[in-house]
């Protein structure tokens, strides 16, 4: 049998159907019918009943918590700091903290300390020692004694007895570092980094002859190493700025502190040159007998606060204006005695206290030149003996006169080696801070 003929038979019929016009007319005629059949199938499928949604029921059941074992008092004590608000007394502040200790309150009212020492100053910090039951064990805060110097007022429970003291406490000096990246303004960045206001004022004055802090822009950086004075681990005050660096538009400005003696020092660049010119002269030709600030004495191991410098000058020594100025105040004050305030610029002013008398004819609003006599050394007000107390204020904030306003001496050859050794170490710390791309605040 010839199978090729059998295969050729269907192929011929397929070819005839494809080539026949009637085949295509028939297919076209069937299209409407097929569409109707498809639509009917879809409609019937949609019309089929859907399964019912499952029934949901809501149940409410109250769960009983397992009994908790009563915690025993730990007996641990901790210190809590509270900012003193206007009108606060010790009793009012303790009441705000939820402390109700009648025995302590009675002792405070009958305390051997003077009423002035127990008055809280607005803005100060009261530290309170408590336990987890709210029991009071002690409190402490800084205040001014009768000589106008800072003391630490401590009221504490020793055994079953309360006791009070107002002495210069033993302090520890630690170095604090801050690396501040300016985002909007230098002032805001420093405040946000919790740099103390006295450090901010000193920093501004240290670099005043090179650049104002207000000129810093976002991306500029400030690095600081400064002293923090602690009492039993609690920061109480700031000491000197030891090293500072400002990077503005990629250019670095540095300052290093060098101590001339136990009471004064100055700021120099990395080459040992004074950063500030200072006033043209000192108010009296005498040595500084008492320096500025809360200082830790390495031998006495005690703290004292002094918001200016004292000159050991004899009674009647003429006091001269160290720079051109306008007389802002000529008055008698209880603590300062006879006092004169000179305004040297919109921000900087100087104060002279304990004068025996004023220069004849000196009045508020007078213009004075550097070297003009404004008064005479004495011992009026709270003073233990004849001396001149001088303060420098930047926007009302006391700063160290020796580092911000008084003439800064050049370094002697014998001092240059000591300065070099100290500044190299500080420069290395500042370099590390500069390389950190974010703000850094070391825990004090």
């Amino acid at each position: 049998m010839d199978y090729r003929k059998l295969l050729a038979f269907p192929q011929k019929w397929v070819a005839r159907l494809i080539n026949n016009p009637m085949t295509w007319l028939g297919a076209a005629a069937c299209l409407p019918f097929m569409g109707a059949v498809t639509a009917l199938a879809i409609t019937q499928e949609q019309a089929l009943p859907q399964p019912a949604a499952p029934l949901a029921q809501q149940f409410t059941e109250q769960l009983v918590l397992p009994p908790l074992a009563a915690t025993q008092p730990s007996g641990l004590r901790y210190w809590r700091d509270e900012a003193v608000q206007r009108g606060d007394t010790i009793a009012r502040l303790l009441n705000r903290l939820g402390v109700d200790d009648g025995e302590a309150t009675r002792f405070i009212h009958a305390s051997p300390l003077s009423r002035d020492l127990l008055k809280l100053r607005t803005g100060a910090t009261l530290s309170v020692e408590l336990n987890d039951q709210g029991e009071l064990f002690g409190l402490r805060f800084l205040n001014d004694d009768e000589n106008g110097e800072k003391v630490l007022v401590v009221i504490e429970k020793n055994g079953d007895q309360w006791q009070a003291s107002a002495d210069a406490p033993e302090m520890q000096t630690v170095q604090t570092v801050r690396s501040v990246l300016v985002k909007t303004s230098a002032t805001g960045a420093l405040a946000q980094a919790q740099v103390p206001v006295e450090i901010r004022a000193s920093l501004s004055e240290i670099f005043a002859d090179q650049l104002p802090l207000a000129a810093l822009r976002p991306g500029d950086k400030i690095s600081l190493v400064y002293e923090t004075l602690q009492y039993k681990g609690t920061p109480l005050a700031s000491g000197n700025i030891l090293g500072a660096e400002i990077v503005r538009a990629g250019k670095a400005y540095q300052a290093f502190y060098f101590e001339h003696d136990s009471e004064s020092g100055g700021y120099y660049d990395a080459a040992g040159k004074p950063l500030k010119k200072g006033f043209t002269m000192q108010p009296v030709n005498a040595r500084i007998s008492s320096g500025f600030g809360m200082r830790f004495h390495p031998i006495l191991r005690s703290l004292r606060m002094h918001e200016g410098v004292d000159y050991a000058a004899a009674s009647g020594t003429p006091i001269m204006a160290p720079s051109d100025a306008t007389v802002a105040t000529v008055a008698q004050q209880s603590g300062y005695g006879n006092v004169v305030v000179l305004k040297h610029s919109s921000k900087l002013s100087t104060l002279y206290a304990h004068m025996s008398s004023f220069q004849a004819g000196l009045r508020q609003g007078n213009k004075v030149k550097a070297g003009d006599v404004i008064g005479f050394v004495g011992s009026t007000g709270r003073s233990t003996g004849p001396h001149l107390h001088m303060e420098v204020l930047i926007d009302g904030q006391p700063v160290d006169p020796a580092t911000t306003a008084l003439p800064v001496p050049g370094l002697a050859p014998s001092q240059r080696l000591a300065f070099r050794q100290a500044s190299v170490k500080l420069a290395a710390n500042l370099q590390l801070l500069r390389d950190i791309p974010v703000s850094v605040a070391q825990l004090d």
Side-chain angles (χ1 to χ4, degrees), residues 123-152:
T125 299
L126 178 70
S127 299
V128 181
E129 187 180 17
L130 307 165
N131 63 11
D132 51 8
Q133 295 176 290
E135 187 178 359
L136 180 67
F137 293 93
L139 54 89
R140 62 192 184 205
F141 58 95
L142 288 172
N143 212 336
D144 296 332
D145 65 8
E146 64 276 7
N147 293 318
E149 294 190 351
K150 294 288 185 185
V151 293
L152 185 69

Side-chain angles (χ1 to χ4, degrees), residues 15-16 21 29 43 65 80 103 130 135 148 160 170 182 201 211 214 221 269 290 320 359 368 386 398-399 430:
R16 288 178 182 179
T43 303
L65 294 175
R80 176 173 175 179
E103 183 183 356
L130 307 165
E135 187 178 359
D160 294 331
E170 292 188 0
V182 178
L211 77 162
K221 196 163 189 180
D269 64 14
S290 181
M320 297 168 288
Q359 172 71 350
V368 293
V399 295
L430 294 175

Side-chain angles (χ1 to χ4, degrees), residues 4 40 48 60 98 126 135 151 191 222 264 321 343 362 390 423 427:
R4 286 176 295 181
L40 178 62
L48 292 177
T60 302
L126 178 70
E135 187 178 359
V151 293
I222 302 171
S264 65
K343 195 165 187 63
L362 191 71
M390 176 191 180
S423 63

